[in-house]
Every structure is written in structure tokens, then in C-alpha cells.
Amino acid sequence: MVDHGRVIRRHELSDQEWELLAPLIPRAASGRPRVADRQVINGMVYKIRTGIS
């Protein structure tokens, strides 16, 4: 599957899925900067879909 010139793995969110989900994630008000939200969500989806412990 190719999305805007980059390969998307089965466990990653497509750009369309991310556009729906991104507005629901709250912004950090203060403190240490977070890792890219999309990368974290993709990690959660990978864990759920593959069933790793």
C-alpha cells in the first residue's frame, strides 16, 4: 500500500485515519516535549493487532 509516496505497513494508520484521530488527542500544556503522537498511536495499533505482550 502506498500513501503519498511512502509505504504504509499494515499496522500503521493511513493519512485518512490519522486526520480523523488527530483532533481528539489533547495538546501538552507544559513539561517535556512529547514524542510524535502518530508514532505512539502506530505503536499501540501494532501491539493490539499483532497480540504481542
Side-chain angles (χ1 to χ4, degrees):
M1 191 180 332
V2 177
D3 192 30
H4 298 291
R6 80 177 184 89
V7 176
I8 294 184
R9 294 178 179 92
R10 287 186 289 166
H11 63 274
E12 292 181 343
L13 297 175
S14 68
D15 286 342
Q16 293 171 344
E17 293 170 325
W18 179 247
E19 287 176 15
L20 292 173
L21 187 60
L24 302 175
I25 300 172
R27 299 279 179 221
S30 64
R32 188 171 72 183
R34 296 192 312 209
V35 176
D37 290 332
R38 188 171 183 168
Q39 184 179 2
V40 173
I41 299 296
N42 280 335
M44 290 183 215
V45 171
Y46 175 78
K47 183 171 178 155
I48 292 167
R49 289 188 181 170
T50 61
I52 61 174
S53 55

